[in-house]
């Protein structure tokens, strides 16, 4: 998938665990892991907003698009 989720990078920079972030934003660690590992099919804007607030970042710090050409 060309959408990359950089939650692990932000967690490392803030020295925060997945469990702590999950508690702060009100989702289970398992659901956060699905998002963190790029297996989520969708993200609610409320969840994205909660992530941004807890991690003190912008949505673009969490999600980025990477071009994967079909010819590669």
């Amino acid at each position: 998938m060309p959408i990359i989720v950089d939650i692990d990078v932000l967690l490392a920079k803030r020295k925060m665990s997945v469990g702590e972030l999950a508690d702060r934003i009100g989702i289970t660690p398992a659901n956060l892991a699905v998002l963190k590992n790029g297996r989520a099919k969708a993200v609610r804007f409320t969840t994205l907003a909660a992530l941004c607030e807890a991690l003190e970042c912008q949505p673009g710090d969490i999600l980025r698009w990477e071009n994967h050409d079909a010819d590669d």
Side-chain angles (χ1 to χ4, degrees), residues 33-65:
V34 167
L35 178 60
K36 183 175 91 64
N37 296 324
R39 291 179 283 146
K41 300 284 185 201
V43 180
R44 293 181 187 269
F45 281 149
T46 54
T47 302
L48 186 57
L51 284 166
C52 289
E53 183 176 353
L55 295 169
E56 297 178 354
C57 67
Q58 294 295 314
D61 297 327
I62 296 171
L63 303 173
R64 62 185 164 90
W65 178 79

Side-chain angles (χ1 to χ4, degrees), residues 6-70:
D6 286 326
I7 291 175
D8 53 346
V9 173
L10 294 166
L11 285 171
K13 285 181 180 177
R14 284 147 180 83
K15 297 181 176 130
M16 187 184 301
S17 70
V18 171
E20 182 181 349
L21 179 59
D23 285 344
R24 287 186 183 195
I25 65 173
I27 66 173
T28 66
N31 284 339
L32 182 56
V34 167
L35 178 60
K36 183 175 91 64
N37 296 324
R39 291 179 283 146
K41 300 284 185 201
V43 180
R44 293 181 187 269
F45 281 149
T46 54
T47 302
L48 186 57
L51 284 166
C52 289
E53 183 176 353
L55 295 169
E56 297 178 354
C57 67
Q58 294 295 314
D61 297 327
I62 296 171
L63 303 173
R64 62 185 164 90
W65 178 79
E66 225 175 66
N67 188 12
H68 294 285
D69 291 334

